[in-house]
């Protein structure tokens, strides 16, 4: 389900845009009332402190040391995903259906959407039929329905089927308990995991309480995975993937095996995104630039030739967290419906769609500073329906993506 964009709701009321923390916890541009002097002071303070959602690019061309690998998000996460400051918290008195703090207008928009634009009974029945007959469902049919969106009541089951993690806890009894009970190889690693818990979805009621149920569950899952794959261990950013699965899959051991699937299955291969030197992240940048050159040649020339601004300056969080860092969680869930069904292809489509929507504006900017600021905030204030429609209109073959990946891996290092 995609909710009406909260900014539209507020602008209809005559409010002016301001900078506030959005539903997933980072600072974003949406509309807020500006009559409160306290809110204005809080906004100014956040701007002075740098809470603008900007992302610093980690050095992906060299293999990072132990601390830099674990702290690749640290420079911005503490600011851009900080909990709401006290003067502004009063505006966030409601929780959306996923447990994120929202304004009254955002809650009203969600309630309206659920009453008037929910999935039909026939659509729900079709999904139930596919779940019951999962082994015989054709991939094209599944892909078509995942692009339309998995109904929220079905996501817990559907995501596990897509990940092929359904029933893993029964096939590996006791394994999860053993992994999260086993000490980590490094005390430093345990400290890094613990330190990052507060930074993951801080405005969600499940994760907002220090040492609360959500944080403890997240800690155990990340701890267990670090023991499951010591070669990857833990890197900042993993928590957003695991927390997304917690909110949808819910049962802890099921979440762990779903997380293992996201990290280990070659279809997603997120472990290679977080491995030392970030090999798959660099490969994703290569594929993304090649697709940009093919689909938006003028913009590619603008960003690559006239103003050399590589994707690592603005797209790190897109790929490392599969967009969980930036968007309304309803939109995140829709993106993940496609990601879990198709792999990386829809991730590239969403990334390209962000540029496509802003292509004309980006081409009009003539300095590196202007372009960097625009690119770092390009995901802000995007209407979910428009973004998804634009993404699905961007066509390219999976075989071409595989060819680009092969080209990247064939390059001498």
């Amino acid at each position: 389900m995609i909710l009406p964009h909260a900014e539209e709701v507020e602008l209809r009321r005559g409010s002016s845009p301001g900078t506030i923390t959005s539903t997933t916890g980072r600072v974003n541009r949406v509309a807020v009332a500006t009559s409160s002097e306290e809110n204005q002071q809080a906004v100014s303070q956040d701007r002075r402190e740098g809470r603008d959602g900007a992302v610093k690019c980690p050095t992906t061309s060299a293999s990072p040391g132990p601390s830099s690998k674990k702290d690749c998000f640290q420079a911005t996460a503490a600011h851009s995903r900080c909990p709401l400051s006290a003067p502004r918290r009063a505006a966030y008195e409601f929780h959306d259906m996923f447990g994120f703090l929202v304004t009254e207008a955002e809650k009203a928009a969600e309630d309206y959407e659920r009453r008037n634009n929910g999935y039909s009974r026939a659509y729900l029945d079709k999904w139930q039929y596919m779940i019951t007959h999962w082994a015989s469902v054709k991939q094209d049919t599944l892909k078509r329905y995942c692009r339309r969106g998995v109904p929220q009541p079905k996501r817990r089951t559907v995501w596990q089927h897509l990940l092929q993690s359904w029933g893993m806890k029964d096939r590996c009894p006791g394994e999860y308990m053993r992994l999260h009970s086993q000490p980590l190889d490094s005390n430093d690693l345990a400290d890094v995991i613990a330190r990052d818990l507060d930074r993951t979805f801080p405005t969600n009621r499940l994760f907002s309480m220090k040492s609360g149920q959500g944080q403890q569950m997240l800690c155990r899952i990340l701890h267990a995975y670090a023991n499951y794959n010591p070669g990857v261990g833990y890197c900042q950013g993993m928590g957003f993937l695991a927390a997304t699965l917690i909110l949808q899959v819910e049962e802890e051991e099921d979440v762990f095996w779903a997380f293992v699937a996201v990290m280990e299955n070659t279809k997603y291969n997120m472990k290679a995104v977080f491995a030392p030197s970030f090999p798959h992240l660099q490969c994703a940048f290569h594929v993304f630039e090649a697709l940009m050159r093919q689909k938006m040649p003028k913009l590619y020339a603008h960003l690559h030739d006239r103003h050399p601004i590589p994707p690592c300056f603005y797209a790190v969080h897109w790929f490392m967290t599969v967009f969980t860092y930036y968007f309304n969680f309803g939109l995140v869930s829709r993106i993940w419906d496609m990601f879990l069904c198709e792999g990386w292809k829809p991730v590239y489509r969403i990334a390209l769609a962000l540029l496509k929507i802003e292509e004309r504006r980006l081409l009009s900017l003539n300095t590196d500073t202007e372009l960097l600021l625009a690119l770092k905030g390009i995901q802000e204030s995007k209407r979910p329906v428009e973004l998804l429609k634009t993404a699905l209109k961007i066509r390219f073959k999976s075989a071409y993506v595989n060819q680009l990946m092969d080209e990247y891996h064939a390059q001498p290092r």
Side-chain angles (χ1 to χ4, degrees), residues 240-308:
F240 294 105
L241 306 181
T244 297
L245 292 168
I246 287 172
L247 291 175
Q248 292 291 8
V249 177
E250 298 178 357
E251 202 283 320
E252 182 172 335
E253 193 168 354
D254 288 335
V255 172
F256 170 72
W257 290 113
F259 182 64
V260 168
V262 168
M263 297 295 291
E264 302 287 329
N265 288 5
T266 55
K267 186 176 185 178
Y268 318 108
N269 199 25
M270 291 303 295
K271 69 177 180 182
V273 172
F274 294 101
S277 79
F278 309 101
H280 194 67
L281 180 61
Q282 296 182 64
C283 181
F285 290 155
H286 173 79
V287 173
F288 175 59
E289 283 198 298
L291 291 170
M292 191 199 314
R293 182 171 63 243
Q294 182 190 71
K295 300 298 178 182
M296 291 170 276
K298 290 183 180 179
L299 184 59
Y300 174 81
H302 194 59
L303 296 178
H304 190 268
D305 300 329
R306 286 190 287 277
H307 303 276

Side-chain angles (χ1 to χ4, degrees), residues 175-187 189-191 193-194 197 215-230 233-234 238-239 242 252 256 259:
E175 181 68 2
Y176 173 61
M177 181 174 291
R178 182 187 70 80
L179 288 167
H180 79 67
S181 301
Q182 177 182 326
L184 292 172
D185 291 340
S186 166
N187 289 332
L189 189 57
D191 291 341
I193 292 174
L197 297 177
Q215 288 197 12
Q216 290 183 32
M217 187 187 305
L218 181 60
C219 183
R220 287 191 294 268
I221 289 168
L222 296 173
H223 182 118
Y225 181 76
N227 281 324
Y228 181 90
N229 188 338
Y234 170 76
M238 288 183 184
E252 182 172 335
F256 170 72
F259 182 64

Side-chain angles (χ1 to χ4, degrees), residues 3 22-25 84 89 92-103 106-107 110 114 152 200-209 243 246-248 250 328-330 333:
L3 307 179
S22 73
T23 54
T24 49
L84 296 176
R89 187 176 291 276
Y92 290 81
E93 298 173 345
F94 302 89
H95 288 91
D96 68 8
M97 64 185 293
F98 302 105
F100 289 95
L101 279 171
V102 294
T103 63
E106 290 168 331
K107 183 62 177 175
E110 178 183 71
R114 294 175 74 178
Q152 180 58 30
T200 305
F201 293 161
T203 62
N204 185 280
R205 58 184 165 194
L206 183 62
F207 300 104
S208 60
M209 185 178 297
I246 287 172
L247 291 175
Q248 292 291 8
E250 298 178 357
N328 164 295
F329 198 76
S333 299

Side-chain angles (χ1 to χ4, degrees), residues 5 17 22 43 89-90 136 154 160 163 191 219 293 299 327:
H5 199 277
S22 73
V43 168
R89 187 176 291 276
S136 62
K154 308 295 183 185
Q160 290 182 79
L163 288 163
D191 291 341
C219 183
R293 182 171 63 243
L299 184 59
F327 289 133

